[in-house]
Amino acid sequence: GLLVSGRFGDIWHLDTALTVKAHFNSGFGNTFVSFAETKPEAEPETPTPIIYCDTGGTNTRYEWIENIAIDGNIFTSEHDNGYYLHDEPTTLSRGANAITLEPGFGWGSYNEHWRVWLDINADGEFSDAELFIDSNSSNVINTSIMLPPVTAPITTRMRVSMKYGGA
C-alpha cells in the first residue's frame, strides 16, 4: 500500500491500484507521513518436466553399446538389455565436443548404424534437425558434436542409438 498525506493533517491509505482504502485526519496541520511497503517476491516457477518417448533394444545377445565418451567423460552402458539412461547432467560446450562411440559384441563384430540426437530446443522430441551423428561402422567411432551458438547454457537430453546394419 501507499500512505499519502496532505498539509492539513489528512492521510489516505491507497492500494496498488491507487484506490483509497482508508482516510483519516491526524488533527495536526502540516503533518507529512512517509510509508513504503515492499511487494513480496513471487515464487519461482517450477519448470514442467519434459517427457520423452520410450526407447530401448529388444535383443542385446550379439551387440550393444559398450560405452560412450564425451570430452573424456566415459559413460558405460554395457550389456543392459538394450537401454541405459544416464540421468546425471553432462556439460557440452559451444563448438566442438569430442565423442567416442564404442560398440560391444558377443561374437565377432558387425556393421552398426549409429545415430546421436540432442534435444536442443527442449521440446521432448528428437527431430531430424537435432541429429548430430549418423554413421556406420563395426569399430569405435571417434568424432565430435558441433553445438550451435546459443545465447544461454541449456540442459537437455542426448539420445544415442546403435542398430545392426544400415539405416
Side-chain angles (χ1 to χ4, degrees), residues 24-152:
F24 59 95
N25 189 296
S26 67
F28 301 100
N30 293 323
T31 302
F32 293 94
V33 176
S34 175
F35 174 78
E37 181 177 79
T38 60
K39 183 178 177 182
E41 288 188 31
E43 291 290 321
E45 289 187 32
T46 304
T48 305
I50 298 173
I51 310 265
Y52 290 92
C53 65
D54 290 334
T55 186
T58 55
N59 182 346
T60 57
R61 183 174 177 182
Y62 300 105
E63 61 209 340
W64 57 89
I65 297 172
E66 183 67 27
N67 67 54
I68 299 164
I70 301 171
D71 285 334
N73 299 307
I74 298 174
F75 306 100
T76 303
S77 174
E78 296 184 343
H79 199 346
D80 57 6
N81 294 321
Y83 186 74
Y84 169 75
L85 174 62
H86 177 75
D87 53 6
E88 293 298 317
T90 301
T91 302
L92 297 178
S93 305
R94 293 178 186 138
N97 293 269
I99 184 167
T100 301
L101 306 170
E102 181 180 348
F105 298 110
W107 295 277
S109 63
Y110 307 97
N111 188 41
E112 302 294 341
H113 186 162
W114 291 87
R115 298 180 101 187
V116 178
W117 296 264
L118 286 173
D119 185 15
I120 294 294
N121 60 6
D123 67 352
E125 297 180 16
F126 297 102
S127 70
D128 290 342
E130 297 168 315
L131 179 63
F132 285 81
I133 296 174
D134 189 3
S135 185
N136 288 315
S137 179
S138 59
N139 298 307
V140 172
I141 294 176
N142 290 297
T143 188
S144 62
I145 292 176
M146 295 294 293
L147 287 186
V150 292
T151 57

